[in-house]
Amino acid sequence: EAGVTQSPTHLIKTRGQQATLRCSPISGHTSVYWYQQALGLGLQFLLWYDEGEERNRGNFPPRFSGRQFPNYSSELNVNALELEDSALYLCASSKYSRGPGYTFGSGTRLTVV
Amino acid sequence: GENVEQHPSTLSVQEGDSAVIKCTYSDSASNYFPWYKQELGKGPQLIIDIRSNVGEKKDQRIAVTLNKTAKHFSLHITETQPEDSAVYFCAAIRETGANNLFFGTGTRLTVIP
């Protein structure tokens, strides 16, 4: 069984640009979660999608947005990039919408210069 | 929402010794408590979990204990090995309703050979 896949693995952008990160969940998983992990810090919850709808949102500005496609894959968009957006962005998926059973991908390392 | 505190932030032990990581949570309705291990360059992986109807759970060298009254839970690793070196995260969630996992701030465990 393929795990959660994220692309790209690394992304370098210039301040002010937009970044798009992609996530493919495990087959059969309908919920996708996005977390930001800044260097040396913990996992900050960004967004949760289930069955194509945004179910919950963390304490991040509106320039962080995303969507979930009919095949349950998801993308995270970050507009107007700032230097402090540099972080590892982790995607997780679960079979049930109530959270337990998270499986994480290996993340996308976003560097804003 | 839930607030999970984790201590210590760093922990060094000699190979063969035990390691204990402690977490507290704020939402008394939280009823599922997973622990994740994150190795360098990888996403977090679930290593053990416990539900609130159980006080202790063990899986080989890893055990988790839960004190619902005090709202804290702990990860115990016995006979530590160098491959146990990683960052460990605790998390909590209320399984009923639409909720996502709330993570602790992480503990960097170093096992010294």
Side-chain angles (χ1 to χ4, degrees):
Chain A
E1 177 183 78
V4 177
T5 57
Q6 292 187 244
S7 63
T9 53
H10 293 84
L11 188 59
I12 300 176
K13 291 287 187 177
T14 303
R15 188 171 51 185
Q17 286 187 318
Q18 178 197 47
T20 298
L21 289 62
R22 296 179 176 84
C23 172
S24 292
I26 290 174
S27 177
H29 286 194
T30 62
S31 276
V32 171
Y33 311 81
W34 288 95
Y35 284 82
Q36 182 196 64
Q37 187 176 32
L39 191 63
L41 298 179
L43 300 162
Q44 303 299 317
F45 169 68
L46 266 166
L47 289 159
W48 167 20
Y49 292 96
D50 182 65
E51 296 285 356
E53 294 188 4
E54 182 179 302
R55 297 295 300 274
N56 201 2
R57 180 182 182 86
N59 187 25
F60 280 84
R63 56 191 187 82
F64 287 84
S65 64
R67 53 180 172 167
Q68 186 177 35
F69 299 99
N71 66 353
Y72 303 113
S73 67
S74 176
E75 68 178 28
L76 173 70
N77 295 294
V78 188
N79 294 320
L81 284 165
E82 299 179 1
L83 296 178
E84 52 265 35
D85 295 333
S86 295
L88 180 68
Y89 289 83
L90 290 161
C91 170
S93 72
S94 70
K95 186 174 183 179
Y96 303 106
S97 64
R98 293 176 179 177
Y102 277 32
T103 302
F104 280 90
S106 295
T108 293
R109 172 72 63 187
L110 173 63
T111 302
V112 182
V113 297
Chain B
E2 174 65 275
N3 181 43
V4 180
E5 295 188 356
Q6 184 172 347
H7 301 280
S9 57
T10 60
L11 179 61
S12 292
V13 299
Q14 292 289 331
E15 182 177 356
D17 288 349
S18 296
V20 180
I21 302 170
K22 299 181 179 181
C23 289
T24 61
Y25 60 99
S26 61
D27 185 354
S28 57
S30 288
N31 54 5
Y32 175 71
F33 308 92
W35 285 88
Y36 287 82
K37 174 184 181 182
Q38 186 176 26
E39 297 176 335
L40 195 62
K42 298 182 179 180
Q45 288 190 312
L46 177 69
I47 55 172
I48 195 168
D49 56 16
I50 191 168
R51 285 185 161 79
S52 59
N53 58 345
V54 176
E56 182 175 358
K57 184 177 179 180
K58 189 174 182 179
D59 182 6
Q60 299 182 4
R61 297 186 297 108
I62 295 174
V64 57
T65 58
L66 171 66
N67 183 326
K68 286 178 57 180
T69 303
K71 289 191 286 188
H72 67 70
F73 56 112
S74 300
L75 177 71
H76 305 255
I77 306 175
T78 59
E79 301 173 16
T80 53
Q81 302 169 2
E83 51 265 38
D84 294 329
S85 296
V87 179
Y88 291 81
F89 292 96
C90 62
I93 187 174
R94 186 194 322 170
E95 284 193 285
T96 55
N99 291 290
N100 47 274
L101 277 174
F102 293 89
F103 285 88
T105 49
T107 296
R108 181 173 299 279
L109 172 64
T110 302
V111 179
I112 304 167

